[in-house]
Amino acid sequence: MTVIGIDLGTTNSLAVAYSDGQVRMIPNSFGEYLTPSVVYYDGSEIQVGKIAREKLVTHPQDTAQLFKLHMGANRQITLSKRAFQPEELSACVLKQLVADAEAFLGQKVTELVISVPAYFNAEQRQATKKAGELLGLKVERLINEPSAAAIACHEADEFETFVVFDFGGGTLDVSVVDCFENVISIAAIAGDNHLGGSDFDRLIAQYVCRKAGTNFEALNRRTRNSLLLAAERVKKQLSEFESVNMQVHLEGKSHEYKITNELLAEISQPLFKRMREVIRKAIVESKFGAGELDRLILVGGSSYMPVVKDYLKRLLNLPVMSGQKMDELVALGLGQYIGIKTRAQEVKDLVVTDICPFSLSTSVHNYVDEDKDLSDVLIARNSVLPSSKTQIYSPVRKDQPTIRFKVYQGEAMYAKDNLFLGSVQLPVPSNVDDQSFAVTYSYDINSILYVEIKTVATDEVKTYKLGPNKSLVAVDATDTAHKEIKELALQLASQPERDALFERALRLYQELSLEQQQDLQLTLMRFSRLFARYQNNLLKKRQLLDSTNDYLDHLEWGLDAGMGDIFRDVESDWDQDSDWDQELEAELDRTVMEFLNEDSETEEGEDAHG
């Protein structure tokens, strides 16, 4: 069995394998690692990659690009009178990459690990899996692109927190990554699935059209494609030169314009504002301060652009790190992940925890405005995956014969403003006192969502999973994946160090004075609140555990010190070290109170609004 990783990009894709103890980038038939994500179909033959890309100008009606932007959408792309779904065109790209891999490795590929934008929703992830499955290949694992990049960037045994700015041809993902030893934890993600390097191409093309007195949108498809390709060449050349002369032929006339990085930065301000909002959202939701972030890492081919680098350096109080292989970082991380997956001895095992990019909810009745159902969230955005949550629901009316559960993804207050994923209708038990239902959502990063509904009065349980075309499909008894997700979610939710700390505190509580008991109660309340707040922050959780255990050590030491008159052999030592004891007590007090009072003004403000 041979597993390869594929970075399925908007503009370019590449494949990677792990063999002979190393990550190996897979070249295509041209000896290049990057294969353009372009498909040409003439009615009988399909071509993918470099040759297809050239046909964007010569055969625009038969050639497709940027179809990744429409993954999961009910959209058809017509080539030579044949309609394709975006996932079918993506399958064509995958097929070409698999063929290149089999030729290079000399082995048959049986499984794919595909990277996806972190901000892909459930339908987009399903469509990506379907693209691989259309080829008869196993696609068990999807990995978020920033997570793959983090695997490639993390230095072993280092405690570090960094921001991954993954800017590709059509999507932008920003992730805050917390790393410690062999653990890579995604603290927060934000993104824009319609912002990428191709938007800069369009801005350049539109600028040239304005200068020439032409409307870009009014041009025919052949001319638009030709102009966009010329704009892309100019954009790439601006990575090496400060200015480039762009020659175009529009409506029978030849034009030449000087394009500079300064000009590109000026016309790109709307795109920079969108970038800033994505970065802001990710960092705010991570709950890290600027002083706690070590660096920002540039990932993706569009990060090569000098205007992007310069903007980020001016925007952020962080070192901006870039290398020579920014467009290969995701693939390199994929290769390392495959090494871990196949248990290669040369690869150090890593634990990579990912989070849910969007909240998962069900609609509930709105008694204030009955035409607008509300969203009741079961699995919140940024929850560590896999996650499993249960909520109890009841019919609106006692005489209601059936109840419909609708599943949504998104952050809007009203259900209709979120992405509808599917629904199921069940009978309401009659002649019983309890007509409630226990609804459990179980979700993992591979976009597998299970909905388990238990009728409380009868204990009857029905389980469904997210299916195609916005449906919930009943799960048969042989499908136990939802149970595995629930078990894994329980393991992740367990916090043995936190639980041990509480047990120790409860033991000590019984031996303390009333004043000490009140202080311990306050400390534990603050600890619980901060621990929940820092659920995705490894460093702060560790600091919180350490400082609170120091506080308990101090309490326990005080209890033992009270027995000094019995244990005479150590009483003299305490007397000699009384100055040291006072210094230790003062330092512990400072450490504990400084940490536990962190953001106390913010907490009090939250309580006031609570």
Side-chain angles (χ1 to χ4, degrees):
M1 181 183 76
T2 300
V3 183
I4 66 169
I6 291 181
D7 179 8
L8 187 61
T10 305
T11 53
N12 293 291
S13 299
L14 62 162
V16 65
Y18 190 90
S19 63
D20 300 328
Q22 62 181 334
V23 176
R24 302 180 71 185
M25 306 291 288
I26 297 171
N28 57 28
S29 58
F30 295 95
E32 300 169 348
Y33 295 136
L34 294 178
T35 295
S37 301
V38 183
V39 176
Y40 164 75
Y41 176 66
D42 64 0
S44 60
E45 180 187 12
I46 289 178
Q47 292 181 318
V48 173
K50 194 171 185 177
I51 295 175
R53 190 172 184 273
E54 297 301 326
K55 294 181 183 291
L56 283 168
V57 176
T58 59
H59 298 77
Q61 303 301 324
D62 303 327
T63 313
Q65 63 173 339
L66 304 180
F67 38 81
K68 178 180 175 179
L69 299 178
H70 309 295
M71 292 287 278
N74 187 20
R75 176 166 179 166
Q76 293 186 334
I77 300 166
T78 302
L79 305 178
S80 293
K81 299 181 180 180
R82 176 180 167 182
F84 291 86
Q85 296 287 335
E87 52 266 35
E88 292 176 315
L89 295 173
S90 291
C92 295
V93 177
L94 293 176
K95 185 177 181 180
Q96 181 62 55
L97 294 171
V98 168
D100 292 336
E102 290 178 341
F104 178 72
L105 299 171
Q107 301 174 9
K108 184 173 179 58
V109 173
T110 56
E111 183 177 350
L112 305 178
V113 178
I114 304 175
S115 63
V116 295
Y119 228 54
F120 256 22
N121 62 36
E123 290 184 336
Q124 291 167 314
R125 291 172 187 271
Q126 273 198 319
T128 303
K129 292 187 71 174
K130 182 181 177 182
E133 291 164 355
L134 286 172
L135 304 178
L137 296 173
K138 182 180 179 183
V139 185
E140 184 180 69
R141 181 72 163 97
L142 301 178
I143 184 167
N144 285 340
E145 290 166 1
S147 302
I151 293 174
C153 295
H154 175 49
E155 299 175 7
D157 301 323
E158 287 291 323
F159 208 148
E160 56 180 348
T161 304
F162 52 83
V163 181
V164 176
F165 182 88
D166 185 1
F167 193 39
T171 60
L172 170 64
D173 279 327
V174 176
S175 298
V176 180
V177 184
D178 200 16
C179 303
F180 176 63
E181 294 182 346
N182 70 327
V183 178
I184 296 176
S185 174
I186 309 301
I189 57 176
D192 188 331
N193 288 338
H194 296 279
L195 174 59
S198 59
D199 292 287
F200 288 86
D201 303 341
R202 181 170 289 271
L203 283 177
I204 294 172
Q206 290 172 338
Y207 169 80
V208 168
C209 285
R210 285 196 303 272
K211 296 290 286 185
T214 301
N215 183 355
F216 175 79
E217 301 300 334
L219 298 174
N220 62 50
R221 187 171 176 181
R222 183 192 300 268
T223 305
R224 285 203 310 271
N225 285 344
S226 177
L227 190 54
L228 286 170
L229 286 173
E232 183 185 16
R233 285 194 295 271
V234 167
K235 178 188 71 178
K236 290 180 177 179
Q237 289 171 347
L238 286 173
S239 294
E240 300 180 27
F241 307 101
E242 189 55 39
S243 66
V244 177
N245 289 331
M246 182 175 178
Q247 297 179 343
V248 296
H249 191 73
L250 294 171
E251 298 179 337
K253 296 180 180 180
S254 295
H255 305 270
E256 183 171 337
Y257 300 102
K258 183 179 181 180
I259 309 296
T260 65
N261 274 313
E262 183 180 358
L263 171 64
L264 182 56
E266 181 182 333
I267 64 177
S268 301
Q269 289 305 308
L271 302 184
F272 292 146
K273 288 180 181 179
R274 290 167 64 185
M275 284 183 195
R276 185 184 188 280
E277 177 57 24
V278 175
I279 295 171
R280 185 200 65 80
K281 185 176 180 182
I283 294 178
V284 166
E285 293 189 354
S286 76
K287 298 182 174 63
F288 281 93
E292 298 170 308
L293 300 172
D294 298 312
R295 52 187 169 141
L296 180 137
I297 298 174
L298 297 176
V299 179
S302 296
S303 295
Y304 281 112
M305 298 171 60
V307 293
V308 172
K309 292 182 188 177
D310 292 344
Y311 173 72
L312 293 173
K313 288 176 180 177
R314 292 197 312 271
L315 178 69
L316 301 170
N317 292 319
L318 283 177
V320 177
M321 312 295 291
S322 62
Q324 296 300 314
K325 296 183 178 180
M326 289 184 283
D327 52 355
E328 297 177 5
L329 272 179
V330 170
L332 290 171
L334 270 173
Q336 292 183 41
Y337 176 80
I338 291 170
I340 297 167
K341 179 180 173 65
T342 55
R343 300 187 182 278
Q345 294 182 352
E346 303 87 356
V347 182
K348 182 178 179 180
D349 194 20
L350 284 175
V351 177
V352 182
T353 67
D354 241 315
I355 58 179
C356 187
F358 301 98
S359 297
L360 291 163
S361 60
T362 190
S363 59
V364 295
H365 185 67
N366 183 353
Y367 288 94
V368 176
D369 187 345
E370 297 192 350
D371 292 330
K372 294 181 179 179
D373 286 349
L374 298 171
S375 294
D376 190 48
V377 173
L378 279 84
I379 297 179
R381 178 183 68 225
N382 288 337
S383 296
V384 177
L385 297 178
S387 182
S388 187
K389 302 291 183 182
T390 302
Q391 186 61 273
I392 304 296
Y393 298 102
S394 300
V396 176
R397 302 184 310 276
K398 281 287 186 180
D399 60 346
Q400 194 171 309
T402 61
I403 187 169
R404 179 174 292 277
F405 295 98
K406 297 180 181 179
V407 181
Y408 291 89
Q409 186 176 55
E411 315 310 320
M413 180 171 70
Y414 296 119
K416 68 179 182 62
D417 296 328
N418 290 315
L419 176 65
F420 175 66
L421 299 179
S423 68
V424 63
Q425 184 168 301
L426 296 176
V428 176
S430 58
N431 301 320
V432 295
D433 293 332
D434 191 347
Q435 293 185 317
S436 63
F437 295 80
V439 178
T440 301
Y441 283 8
S442 300
Y443 187 69
D444 75 357
I445 196 59
N446 298 310
S447 77
I448 301 176
L449 171 63
Y450 287 93
V451 179
E452 183 181 279
I453 304 175
K454 176 182 177 181
T455 306
V456 174
T458 63
D459 283 337
E460 181 182 10
V461 177
K462 293 184 181 293
T463 304
Y464 307 86
K465 68 178 178 180
L466 191 62
N469 302 319
K470 301 186 183 296
S471 63
L472 291 180
V473 181
V475 173
D476 60 40
T478 60
D479 188 341
T480 59
H482 65 289
K483 295 180 181 178
E484 295 172 5
I485 294 174
K486 288 172 71 174
E487 290 173 1
L488 283 171
L490 284 173
Q491 292 175 19
L492 282 174
S494 67
Q495 301 284 348
E497 289 185 284
R498 177 199 61 190
D499 296 343
L501 182 148
F502 264 89
E503 288 301 322
R504 182 187 181 196
L506 292 175
R507 172 180 60 80
L508 288 172
Y509 183 86
Q510 300 180 49
E511 304 178 51
L512 300 174
S513 66
L514 177 60
E515 182 180 355
Q516 289 174 316
Q517 287 179 339
Q518 291 172 341
D519 186 61
L520 178 56
Q521 284 179 356
L522 177 62
T523 299
L524 293 179
M525 287 171 62
R526 289 185 176 275
F527 170 86
S528 298
R529 186 167 190 170
L530 290 172
F531 197 88
R533 175 183 295 180
Y534 302 144
Q535 60 174 338
N536 296 338
N537 189 321
L538 297 176
L539 177 60
K540 284 192 174 181
K541 281 170 68 173
R542 169 49 52 198
Q543 290 174 333
L544 181 60
L545 284 164
D546 289 346
S547 58
T548 308
N549 271 312
D550 286 344
Y551 169 74
L552 296 180
D553 288 343
H554 174 58
L555 289 178
E556 196 154 21
W557 173 83
L559 291 173
D560 291 341
M563 300 297 292
D565 57 335
I566 296 177
F567 300 108
R568 296 181 182 277
D569 56 326
V570 295
E571 183 177 9
S572 59
D573 293 336
W574 287 335
D575 289 341
Q576 293 171 7
D577 293 341
S578 59
D579 291 340
W580 180 86
D581 291 339
Q582 291 174 5
E583 291 176 9
L584 173 63
E585 180 176 354
E587 182 176 346
L588 284 172
D589 283 343
R590 284 196 303 271
T591 302
V592 173
M593 294 313 296
E594 179 181 330
F595 193 85
L596 293 180
N597 285 327
E598 181 183 280
D599 296 328
S600 61
E601 294 182 3
T602 302
E603 291 180 20
E604 290 169 5
E606 289 172 353
D607 288 340
H609 290 291

